[in-house]
Amino acid sequence: MSGDSLPFALPISRLGTGACEATTLFEELRKPLLRYLACLGLSPDEAQDVVQEAFLRLHRHFAADAPRDNLRSWLYRVAHNEARNRQQSYDRRFASPLDVGLHAGRDEATPERAVLEKEKSRRLSAAIGSLTEAERECLLLRAEGLRYREIGEVLGIATSTVGDTVDRAVRKLTEKCNV
């Protein structure tokens, strides 16, 4: 190439607060959304695609001058729905949701410690596997820092139901993991 660049015109009105707000949200929520989607069973590539789609929808949302109330839960809901749509279209089932990050960053100084950690991971995976889908989803969203109200918005359930579901999931995990 000779260094000539193609003209790329962006309407100045589109570069206002919406673009800055979207960039800020992207920087804050990209990694938590990727973790959440991985816990739902998406591959890293699929999770990346879903996050990209969610932020493209956010830009369209801003362009349509739609309400900007609680964009964090709005993004989680868009990503959640897109992930579910992909899982249904690929006829996938919920696998071990937290296996992706369980083995990262371990200090396996001794063989005994490695065996104990492996057993703890096995029990945790089994305990998580015994939760209902609603309990897993509520717990994962809570672990990502969403408030009960936001979780309710993402999953389309009442806030009081979210509280009961998270509490029940924690009790089940506590019982199964002997904590």
Side-chain angles (χ1 to χ4, degrees):
M1 280 195 138
S2 64
D4 295 330
S5 62
L6 295 171
F8 184 66
L10 287 175
I12 299 298
S13 63
R14 297 278 191 234
L15 294 175
T17 60
C20 293
E21 194 172 357
T23 301
T24 302
L25 285 168
F26 180 79
E27 290 169 356
E28 288 177 13
L29 296 177
R30 184 180 68 83
K31 287 182 182 178
L33 276 169
L34 287 171
R35 276 193 309 269
Y36 173 66
L37 294 168
C39 290
L40 288 180
L42 294 182
S43 71
D45 289 336
E46 289 174 316
Q48 193 76 284
D49 288 346
V50 169
V51 169
Q52 181 177 356
E53 178 63 29
F55 280 98
L56 284 173
R57 289 186 189 177
L58 178 66
H59 279 283
R60 287 188 211 120
H61 186 78
F62 285 156
D65 289 327
R68 296 182 183 201
D69 299 336
N70 205 348
L71 292 173
R72 179 173 139 169
S73 65
W74 184 89
L75 274 167
Y76 269 92
R77 181 159 186 96
V78 168
H80 175 85
N81 291 340
E82 180 65 23
R84 288 297 178 226
N85 290 342
R86 283 176 183 252
Q87 286 175 325
Q88 288 173 357
S89 70
Y90 294 128
D91 195 31
R92 294 173 54 176
R93 296 283 181 232
F94 226 96
S96 305
L98 291 181
D99 285 350
V100 175
L102 283 179
H103 302 292
R106 284 211 182 123
D107 177 24
E108 297 183 3
T110 66
E112 294 84 11
R113 182 167 175 88
V115 168
L116 290 173
E117 288 295 319
K118 188 173 182 178
E119 176 61 20
K120 188 190 308 183
S121 293
R122 187 195 62 72
R123 279 188 289 155
L124 180 60
S125 292
I128 290 171
S130 72
L131 297 176
T132 66
E133 185 175 335
E135 290 168 342
R136 272 193 299 266
E137 289 174 347
C138 284
L139 200 57
L140 290 171
L141 288 169
R142 185 67 184 136
E144 288 299 332
L146 271 70
R147 296 182 303 264
Y148 288 178
R149 180 180 50 81
E150 294 172 320
I151 294 169
E153 290 173 8
V154 169
L155 299 178
I157 58 178
T159 304
S160 60
T161 304
V162 172
D164 293 341
T165 305
V166 169
D167 185 54
R168 187 173 50 252
V170 169
R171 275 189 277 120
K172 282 183 180 179
L173 290 178
T174 302
E175 290 170 9
K176 300 241 187 233
C177 292
N178 299 323
V179 177

Short mmCIF file of all heavy atoms in Angstrom, two decimals, residues 85-108:
data_model
loop_
_atom_site.label_atom_id
_atom_site.label_comp_id
_atom_site.label_asym_id
_atom_site.label_seq_id
_atom_site.Cartn_x
_atom_site.Cartn_y
_atom_site.Cartn_z
N ASN A 85 -29.46 -18.86 23.40
CA ASN A 85 -29.84 -19.10 22.00
C ASN A 85 -28.77 -19.94 21.29
O ASN A 85 -29.10 -20.86 20.54
CB ASN A 85 -30.04 -17.79 21.25
CG ASN A 85 -31.27 -17.05 21.70
OD1 ASN A 85 -32.17 -17.62 22.32
ND2 ASN A 85 -31.33 -15.76 21.43
N ARG A 86 -27.53 -19.63 21.53
CA ARG A 86 -26.44 -20.41 20.91
C ARG A 86 -26.44 -21.84 21.42
O ARG A 86 -26.25 -22.77 20.65
CB ARG A 86 -25.09 -19.76 21.19
CG ARG A 86 -24.84 -18.55 20.34
CD ARG A 86 -23.54 -17.88 20.73
NE ARG A 86 -23.36 -16.69 19.96
CZ ARG A 86 -22.49 -16.56 18.99
NH1 ARG A 86 -21.68 -17.54 18.68
NH2 ARG A 86 -22.40 -15.44 18.31
N GLN A 87 -26.64 -22.00 22.71
CA GLN A 87 -26.64 -23.35 23.27
C GLN A 87 -27.79 -24.17 22.70
O GLN A 87 -27.62 -25.35 22.40
CB GLN A 87 -26.71 -23.30 24.80
CG GLN A 87 -25.41 -22.86 25.41
CD GLN A 87 -25.48 -22.70 26.90
OE1 GLN A 87 -26.50 -22.30 27.44
NE2 GLN A 87 -24.39 -23.02 27.59
N GLN A 88 -28.94 -23.56 22.54
CA GLN A 88 -30.08 -24.28 21.97
C GLN A 88 -29.84 -24.60 20.51
O GLN A 88 -30.15 -25.70 20.05
CB GLN A 88 -31.36 -23.48 22.14
CG GLN A 88 -31.84 -23.42 23.57
CD GLN A 88 -33.02 -22.48 23.76
OE1 GLN A 88 -33.44 -21.82 22.83
NE2 GLN A 88 -33.54 -22.43 24.98
N SER A 89 -29.25 -23.67 19.78
CA SER A 89 -29.03 -23.91 18.35
C SER A 89 -27.98 -24.99 18.13
O SER A 89 -28.01 -25.69 17.14
CB SER A 89 -28.65 -22.61 17.63
OG SER A 89 -27.36 -22.21 18.01
N TYR A 90 -27.04 -25.12 19.03
CA TYR A 90 -26.03 -26.17 18.92
C TYR A 90 -26.44 -27.44 19.67
O TYR A 90 -25.69 -28.40 19.74
CB TYR A 90 -24.69 -25.70 19.47
CG TYR A 90 -24.06 -24.60 18.67
CD1 TYR A 90 -23.64 -23.42 19.29
CD2 TYR A 90 -23.88 -24.70 17.31
CE1 TYR A 90 -23.06 -22.40 18.57
CE2 TYR A 90 -23.30 -23.67 16.57
CZ TYR A 90 -22.89 -22.53 17.22
OH TYR A 90 -22.32 -21.52 16.51
N ASP A 91 -27.65 -27.40 20.25
CA ASP A 91 -28.16 -28.54 21.02
C ASP A 91 -27.17 -28.98 22.08
O ASP A 91 -26.84 -30.16 22.22
CB ASP A 91 -28.52 -29.70 20.08
CG ASP A 91 -29.38 -30.73 20.77
OD1 ASP A 91 -30.17 -30.37 21.68
OD2 ASP A 91 -29.24 -31.91 20.43
N ARG A 92 -26.69 -28.00 22.83
CA ARG A 92 -25.70 -28.28 23.87
C ARG A 92 -26.37 -28.40 25.21
O ARG A 92 -27.43 -27.85 25.44
CB ARG A 92 -24.67 -27.16 23.90
CG ARG A 92 -23.85 -27.11 22.65
CD ARG A 92 -22.98 -25.93 22.63
NE ARG A 92 -22.18 -25.89 23.83
CZ ARG A 92 -21.26 -24.98 24.05
NH1 ARG A 92 -21.03 -24.07 23.19
NH2 ARG A 92 -20.57 -24.99 25.16
N ARG A 93 -25.73 -29.09 26.09
CA ARG A 93 -26.21 -29.24 27.45
C ARG A 93 -25.25 -28.57 28.41
O ARG A 93 -24.08 -28.35 28.11
CB ARG A 93 -26.32 -30.72 27.83
CG ARG A 93 -27.32 -31.44 27.00
CD ARG A 93 -28.71 -31.08 27.51
NE ARG A 93 -29.69 -31.79 26.76
CZ ARG A 93 -30.72 -31.20 26.17
NH1 ARG A 93 -30.90 -29.93 26.24
NH2 ARG A 93 -31.58 -31.92 25.51
N PHE A 94 -25.76 -28.25 29.59
CA PHE A 94 -24.95 -27.66 30.64
C PHE A 94 -23.92 -28.67 31.10
O PHE A 94 -24.24 -29.71 31.64
CB PHE A 94 -25.85 -27.31 31.85
CG PHE A 94 -25.59 -25.95 32.40
CD1 PHE A 94 -26.36 -24.88 32.03
CD2 PHE A 94 -24.57 -25.76 33.30
CE1 PHE A 94 -26.13 -23.64 32.54
CE2 PHE A 94 -24.33 -24.52 33.83
CZ PHE A 94 -25.12 -23.45 33.44
N ALA A 95 -22.64 -28.40 30.86
CA ALA A 95 -21.56 -29.28 31.31
C ALA A 95 -21.09 -28.77 32.67
O ALA A 95 -21.76 -27.97 33.30
CB ALA A 95 -20.44 -29.28 30.29
N SER A 96 -19.96 -29.20 33.11
CA SER A 96 -19.40 -28.73 34.37
C SER A 96 -19.11 -27.25 34.24
O SER A 96 -18.14 -26.87 33.61
CB SER A 96 -18.13 -29.49 34.71
OG SER A 96 -18.39 -30.87 34.72
N PRO A 97 -19.94 -26.37 34.81
CA PRO A 97 -19.85 -24.95 34.53
C PRO A 97 -18.60 -24.25 35.05
O PRO A 97 -18.19 -23.28 34.46
CB PRO A 97 -21.09 -24.37 35.19
CG PRO A 97 -21.55 -25.37 36.16
CD PRO A 97 -21.04 -26.70 35.69
N LEU A 98 -18.00 -24.72 36.09
CA LEU A 98 -16.85 -23.99 36.63
C LEU A 98 -15.52 -24.69 36.34
O LEU A 98 -14.50 -24.29 36.85
CB LEU A 98 -17.00 -23.80 38.14
CG LEU A 98 -18.10 -22.84 38.55
CD1 LEU A 98 -18.16 -22.70 40.06
CD2 LEU A 98 -17.90 -21.48 37.93
N ASP A 99 -15.51 -25.71 35.50
CA ASP A 99 -14.27 -26.41 35.20
C ASP A 99 -13.24 -25.52 34.53
O ASP A 99 -12.05 -25.75 34.65
CB ASP A 99 -14.53 -27.61 34.30
CG ASP A 99 -15.15 -28.76 35.07
OD1 ASP A 99 -15.21 -28.70 36.31
OD2 ASP A 99 -15.55 -29.72 34.41
N VAL A 100 -13.69 -24.49 33.82
CA VAL A 100 -12.78 -23.64 33.07
C VAL A 100 -11.71 -23.02 33.96
O VAL A 100 -10.54 -23.04 33.64
CB VAL A 100 -13.57 -22.52 32.35
CG1 VAL A 100 -12.63 -21.56 31.66
CG2 VAL A 100 -14.53 -23.14 31.36
N GLY A 101 -12.09 -22.48 35.09
CA GLY A 101 -11.13 -21.77 35.92
C GLY A 101 -10.66 -22.50 37.16
O GLY A 101 -9.91 -21.95 37.94
N LEU A 102 -11.06 -23.73 37.35
CA LEU A 102 -10.72 -24.42 38.59
C LEU A 102 -9.24 -24.74 38.72
O LEU A 102 -8.70 -24.79 39.81
CB LEU A 102 -11.52 -25.72 38.72
CG LEU A 102 -12.97 -25.56 39.13
CD1 LEU A 102 -13.65 -26.92 39.19
CD2 LEU A 102 -13.10 -24.87 40.46
N HIS A 103 -8.57 -25.01 37.61
CA HIS A 103 -7.20 -25.47 37.69
C HIS A 103 -6.17 -24.36 37.51
O HIS A 103 -4.98 -24.61 37.59
CB HIS A 103 -6.97 -26.55 36.63
CG HIS A 103 -7.90 -27.72 36.81
ND1 HIS A 103 -7.83 -28.58 37.88
CD2 HIS A 103 -8.97 -28.12 36.07
CE1 HIS A 103 -8.79 -29.49 37.79
NE2 HIS A 103 -9.50 -29.23 36.71
N ALA A 104 -6.63 -23.15 37.28
CA ALA A 104 -5.71 -22.04 37.05
C ALA A 104 -5.15 -21.51 38.36
O ALA A 104 -5.84 -21.36 39.35
CB ALA A 104 -6.44 -20.91 36.32
N GLY A 105 -3.86 -21.23 38.36
CA GLY A 105 -3.23 -20.55 39.48
C GLY A 105 -3.08 -21.35 40.75
O GLY A 105 -3.02 -20.78 41.83
N ARG A 106 -2.99 -22.64 40.67
CA ARG A 106 -2.83 -23.45 41.88
C ARG A 106 -1.38 -23.54 42.28
O ARG A 106 -0.48 -23.62 41.46
CB ARG A 106 -3.34 -24.86 41.61
CG ARG A 106 -4.82 -24.93 41.59
CD ARG A 106 -5.20 -26.30 42.09
NE ARG A 106 -6.63 -26.39 42.02
CZ ARG A 106 -7.28 -27.31 41.36
NH1 ARG A 106 -6.64 -28.25 40.72
NH2 ARG A 106 -8.58 -27.30 41.33
N ASP A 107 -1.18 -23.62 43.57
CA ASP A 107 0.16 -23.84 44.11
C ASP A 107 0.24 -25.32 44.50
O ASP A 107 -0.24 -25.72 45.54
CB ASP A 107 0.40 -22.94 45.33
CG ASP A 107 1.75 -23.18 45.97
OD1 ASP A 107 2.65 -23.67 45.26
OD2 ASP A 107 1.89 -22.90 47.17
N GLU A 108 0.82 -26.12 43.61
CA GLU A 108 0.92 -27.55 43.86
C GLU A 108 2.33 -27.89 44.34
O GLU A 108 3.09 -28.56 43.67
CB GLU A 108 0.54 -28.33 42.61
CG GLU A 108 -0.90 -28.08 42.21
CD GLU A 108 -1.33 -28.88 41.00
OE1 GLU A 108 -0.53 -29.68 40.48
OE2 GLU A 108 -2.46 -28.69 40.58
#
